[in-house]
């Protein structure tokens, strides 16, 4: 059985480019370890390898990961959370996230994925306009060339309570339904800004809620996740309005006065360069 476990671990770490195949290896691995008495031993060996995988990424000093490095960063992000649990629960969680990948991710013949060059262009534009990039917690972005049935992007957040800092991971997938991958990136930047201005607490400042209400936009009765997503859209629209990326905004029915309001909110939350 030990040889089987070692082989499955090797399959997971060596087949770097195929996310689905790696997830299937992970499912088989968790099911095999679950039958062993000394689960902790094998989990420790596995997570040492996971940490080594991530250390290699950190050693590159890059803020953008592509292809197998992006997949490695995604696996680390979801697996590192599982590692906090007791062995049986840890294995259940690992199996669950691996099944999500197998059942929800797929390769598309017609990719609609943002390029690293476009991301760097957008960030250069924002850096010239606002001062927030050097003031907020840094983020890493990974471009993953797989579509997901459930989402087009994700913002992963890790908190370091002893330092009072956050680490942000923006995962950008192959976008479905002909949506703009540029807008998807701005939406995740909206979540990133929201988390930074509230120190991870994700409340919407009262003055903004009142300002929106005065303009006929009442968000008080929304569920929390809906508020957060709506606020990310507000910040994305505000960032894009009047910018070279305005044509990528899918909310073409939004009134001009509201777009001006959203732009005003962004400009007051962030510091405009002179």
């Amino acid at each position: 059985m030990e040889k089987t476990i070692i082989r499955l671990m090797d399959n997971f770490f060596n087949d770097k480019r195929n996310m689905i195949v790696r997830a299937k290896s992970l499912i088989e691995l968790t099911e095999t370890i679950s039958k062993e008495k000394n689960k902790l031993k094998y989990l420790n060996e596995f997570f040492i390898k996971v940490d080594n995988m991530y250390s290699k990424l950190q050693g590159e000093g890059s803020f953008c990961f592509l292809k197998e490095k992006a997949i490695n960063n995604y696996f680390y992000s979801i697996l590192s959370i599982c590692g906090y649990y007791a062995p049986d629960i840890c294995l259940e969680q690992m199996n669950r996230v691996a099944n999500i990948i197998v059942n929800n991710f797929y390769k598309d013949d017609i990719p609609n994925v943002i390029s690293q060059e476009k991301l760097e262009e957008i960030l250069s534009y924002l850096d010239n306009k606002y001062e927030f990039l050097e003031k907020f917690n840094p983020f890493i972005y990974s471009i993953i060339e797989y579509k997901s049935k459930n989402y087009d992007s994700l913002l992963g957040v890790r908190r370091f309570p002893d330092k009072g800092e956050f680490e942000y991971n923006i995962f950008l997938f192959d976008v479905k339904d002909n949506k703009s991958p540029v807008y998807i990136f701005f939406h995740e930047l909206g979540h990133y800004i929201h988390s930074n201005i509230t120190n991870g607490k994700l409340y919407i400042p009262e003055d903004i809620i009142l300002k929106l209400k005065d303009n006929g936009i009442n968000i008080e009765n929304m569920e929390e996740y809906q508020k957060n997503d709506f606020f990310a859209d507000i910040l994305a629209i505000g960032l894009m309005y009047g910018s070279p990326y305005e044509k990528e905004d899918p909310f073409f029915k939004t009134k001009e006065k509201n777009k001006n309001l959203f732009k005003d909110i962004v400009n007051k939350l962030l510091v405009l360069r002179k």
Side-chain angles (χ1 to χ4, degrees), residues 73-88:
N73 191 37
Y74 182 63
F75 271 119
Y76 174 79
S77 180
I78 57 177
L79 289 173
S80 59
I81 298 169
C82 302
Y84 288 106
Y85 295 103
D88 286 333

Side-chain angles (χ1 to χ4, degrees), residues 11-19 22 56 67-69 71-72 75:
N11 288 348
F12 175 77
F13 288 104
N14 293 337
D15 197 346
K16 293 184 171 64
R17 290 206 173 197
N18 194 318
M19 191 163 77
R22 293 181 71 179
K56 288 178 183 177
K67 301 187 183 298
E68 66 265 22
K69 292 174 184 175
I71 293 171
N72 279 347
F75 271 119

Side-chain angles (χ1 to χ4, degrees), residues 4 36 61 65-66 115 136 147 176 206 244 261 263 266 271:
T4 301
E36 292 290 300
F65 295 126
L66 309 170
S115 68
F136 287 177
K147 277 185 168 66
K176 58 187 177 299
E206 190 62 31
L261 170 63
K263 187 75 173 179
V266 165
V271 180

Side-chain angles (χ1 to χ4, degrees), residues 29 32 88 112 250:
L29 177 65
T32 306
D88 286 333
N112 183 24

Side-chain angles (χ1 to χ4, degrees), residues 129-147:
K129 190 171 180 65
Y130 302 104
E131 295 180 1
F132 75 95
L133 288 174
E134 66 263 30
K135 291 182 177 179
F136 287 177
N137 289 273
F139 66 87
I140 294 167
Y141 45 96
S142 299
I143 300 171
I144 299 177
E145 297 174 2
Y146 282 82
K147 277 185 168 66

Side-chain angles (χ1 to χ4, degrees), residues 41 67 70 97 108 116 127 169 185 197 207 210 231 240 247 250 262:
K41 171 195 169 186
K67 301 187 183 298
V97 297
D108 196 342
Q116 181 180 1
D127 192 42
N169 266 289
F185 179 52
I197 64 173
D207 62 322
L210 292 173
F231 192 51
M240 297 173 79
K247 66 182 185 300
F262 301 162

Side-chain angles (χ1 to χ4, degrees), residues 18 21-22 33 52 68 108-109 113 121 160 167 180 189-190 200 202 224 236 247 251:
N18 194 318
V21 170
R22 293 181 71 179
I33 294 176
N52 288 339
E68 66 265 22
D108 196 342
D109 293 335
V113 63
E121 176 194 301
F160 303 94
E167 177 186 86
S180 164
L189 282 178
L202 297 180
E224 284 306 308
K247 66 182 185 300
F251 298 101

